[in-house]
Amino acid sequence: MLHRVRVAPVSLDTYRDAVPAEQVAELEDLGRRLHGLRVAHINATPYGGGVSELLRSSVALECGLGLTVDWLVISGDSRFFEVTKALHNGLQGAPFVVTADLEETYVLNNRANAAALPGEYDVIIVHDPQPAALRAFSSLPTTRWVWRCHIDTAEPHPTAEQFLLRWLDGYDTLVFTMAEFVVPALRGRPIELFAPGIDPLSPKNLPVPPSLCKRVVSWHGVDTQRPLLLQVSRFDPWKDPFGVIRVFRIAREHIPGLQLALLGSMALDDPEAWRLYEQLRAEAERESDLFIGTNLTGVSFVEVNAFQRSASVVIQKSLREGFGLVVSEALWKETPVVAGRSGGITLQMEDGVGGYLVDPRDEDSFARHVVALIQDRALARTLGRLGRQRVRERFLITRYVRDELRVLARLVGQDC
Ligand code: UDP
């Protein structure tokens, strides 16, 4: 029931030139203290979405530092992933109803995965709500358990919150991206706060020569002589892709020839994405200069990289956002971002650093800022450069792994 994702270890040395020196030094120290620690990360999908991005890079680096780390993915039937997407939506504030069928589906799938868990780990880190109940159905007497929440739980639907809380009892530590996401009922429990980060060495973020970027985006039909607006996100109502299209239409009144690309990855645990994708494709057929691409129709990591480098402006119109790695990815490439003032996005940028934050539902304001950045390229470059600096200091994978290892060190008494 549990599948192991194979990840080749990456040495810390590889990062020396790309990240702040103090992060390297701290990681060396933590690697020494935690050498040989047996850790499992468990989540719901090996590809698509921010958690799989994070795990791909952090597991590789943690192994490179000398820990023994496995990445395990739970399996479930299609009903299970419908249930867990509804729970995800409920935890971000959508209406949520617990029925006997929903509960049975969630419990049976988690129980089956828990039964398959090997007992060899010192620490198990469970990511997000899909596998949260593993802890309740597993009795591994010496293992420490961490639950890592990646979603925006600032204003959950009460029924979804109550449902989740039932499964969090046995965890030793709960990790959130920001304090606003910790629901009051969890105060008093051991809580840690730290944000995700991007991997500067992944094919998604490596430097790519402008000539290659041009070739890649024009291969997809984009005219590189005209401005391009881009959103890179799973096709998810919280990322508001139809709102992005409306912003595009408003902005195009001021920037004739403006193009929009929506790139969206499909994830194993996100059945909703297919429905949205079909609706967006239908929309694109009626609209000129609107490009829709997905990882399953040929948009690879390197292509996302090229699009993020080629865009005049990146938009991230999230109504709720756990973090939004795509914001840091764009800023790392010095591409300015206009984003909704939602959840974890507010950590990554501020007005004048990286771009602009606007009310996530104010489409006129989005369009105004997009137009301003396309019309004033010097301003766009300055904001992009400031954004990259902020990402370098705060949102690279080395800082993320450092924070995660500090939590592990505290858990196993290696924190002095
Ligand atoms: N992504 C991708 N291809 C796509 C769309 C998204 O590789 O067509 C990646 C994107 O680059 C980012 C991740 O999926 O690394 C999305 O993470 P984010 O934190 O922004 O959002 P989440 O999907 O976790 O809500």
Side-chain angles (χ1 to χ4, degrees):
M1 281 301 272
L2 285 160
H3 302 281
R4 184 157 168 252
V5 183
R6 285 182 189 281
V7 176
V10 172
S11 155
L12 179 60
D13 282 339
T14 326
Y15 286 92
R16 254 177 230 283
D17 295 333
V19 307
E22 66 274 13
Q23 292 178 12
V24 173
E26 284 178 88
L27 282 172
E28 277 170 340
D29 176 49
L30 282 158
R32 267 192 300 275
R33 282 192 270 148
L34 296 175
H35 192 90
L37 190 74
R38 296 161 306 169
V39 179
H41 288 274
I42 305 181
N43 82 319
T45 180
Y47 57 84
V51 178
S52 56
E53 289 289 318
L54 269 176
L55 287 174
R56 176 67 187 70
S57 297
S58 61
V59 168
L61 181 53
E62 288 172 359
C63 291
L65 286 164
L67 287 79
T68 304
V69 184
D70 286 336
W71 172 7
L72 306 174
V73 174
I74 56 166
S75 52
D77 51 33
S78 59
R79 175 73 188 134
F80 175 66
F81 290 118
E82 293 280 350
V83 161
T84 56
K85 187 67 201 290
L87 176 60
H88 172 108
N89 290 341
L91 290 168
Q92 297 211 133
F96 182 75
V97 179
V98 179
T99 61
D101 167 63
L102 178 145
E103 173 144 0
E104 189 181 317
T105 302
Y106 185 74
V107 165
L108 282 181
N109 281 274
N110 264 284
R111 204 193 285 278
N113 281 287
L117 245 182
E120 64 210 44
Y121 300 109
D122 300 306
V123 182
I124 293 179
I125 306 179
V126 175
H127 295 259
D128 275 346
Q130 302 92 327
L134 287 180
R135 171 69 191 99
F137 298 125
S138 160
S139 49
L140 301 172
T142 56
T143 305
R144 300 306 189 104
W145 288 77
V146 177
W147 185 65
R148 206 315 173 195
C149 179
H150 294 275
I151 61 182
D152 181 343
T153 47
E155 290 173 45
H157 187 276
T159 314
E161 178 187 336
Q162 286 312 315
F163 185 80
L164 175 71
L165 287 172
R166 289 168 49 195
W167 310 111
L168 298 186
D169 272 352
Y171 284 93
D172 298 286
T173 300
L174 307 170
V175 183
F176 293 84
T177 294
M178 48 202 292
E180 289 82 341
F181 294 170
V182 183
V183 295
L186 290 175
R187 292 193 192 132
R189 295 281 302 274
I191 303 280
E192 302 273 0
L193 303 174
F194 64 92
I198 62 160
D199 185 347
L201 303 184
S202 108
K204 170 92 40 88
N205 298 313
L206 277 173
V208 180
S211 58
L212 184 55
C213 291
K214 264 191 176 172
R215 286 202 60 95
V216 169
V217 299
S218 54
W219 190 84
H220 281 277
V222 170
D223 177 354
T224 55
Q225 302 300 315
R226 290 192 276 138
L228 174 67
L229 181 62
L230 169 71
Q231 177 161 294
V232 180
S233 276
R234 280 179 304 106
F235 295 128
D236 177 320
W238 301 105
K239 316 281 187 181
D240 198 13
F242 288 100
V244 176
I245 295 175
R246 289 191 293 273
V247 170
F248 163 61
R249 289 184 179 136
I250 303 170
R252 193 167 52 178
E253 288 171 18
H254 305 272
I255 312 272
L258 181 64
Q259 306 164 92
L260 171 64
L262 293 172
L263 304 186
S265 51
M266 301 299 181
L268 202 62
D269 61 342
D270 188 0
E272 219 177 2
W274 287 103
R275 293 192 283 272
L276 245 98
Y277 173 59
E278 290 307 330
Q279 292 165 9
L280 287 163
R281 271 196 19 189
E283 194 77 19
E285 292 196 355
R286 290 193 290 272
E287 182 75 69
S288 58
D289 293 332
L290 168 55
F291 304 91
I292 312 278
T294 84
N295 51 341
L296 299 187
T297 56
V299 179
S300 67
F301 275 23
V302 180
E303 274 155 316
V304 170
N305 189 341
F307 268 86
Q308 287 170 329
R309 288 180 192 280
S310 304
S312 320
V313 176
V314 158
I315 181 169
Q316 191 55 40
K317 206 183 166 302
S318 305
L319 306 172
R320 294 247 188 264
E321 191 56 81
F323 183 69
L325 286 173
V326 283
V327 171
S328 280
E329 288 168 5
L331 297 179
W332 181 245
K333 297 158 185 120
E334 302 191 2
T335 303
V337 179
V338 180
R341 197 177 288 108
S342 304
I345 293 176
T346 59
L347 299 171
Q348 299 174 71
M349 49 186 289
E350 55 190 79
D351 281 340
V353 179
Y356 297 107
L357 287 172
V358 301
D359 174 341
R361 294 191 187 271
D362 186 346
E363 290 165 7
D364 288 320
S365 176
F366 265 98
R368 237 186 352 268
H369 287 94
V370 166
V371 169
L373 286 169
I374 293 177
Q375 287 177 339
D376 188 344
R377 296 313 289 160
L379 173 69
R381 273 192 295 277
T382 305
L383 298 192
R385 266 199 294 274
L386 291 171
R388 177 176 164 107
Q389 223 168 301
R390 191 182 181 99
V391 171
R392 186 172 192 282
E393 284 153 18
R394 307 186 194 181
F395 299 114
L396 294 182
I397 194 75
T398 38
R399 196 275 308 139
Y400 172 78
V401 169
R402 177 202 70 190
D403 289 352
E404 186 161 271
L405 296 190
R406 280 180 179 170
V407 170
L408 297 189
R410 276 196 280 281
L411 257 184
V412 301
Q414 288 293 332
D415 55 339
C416 42

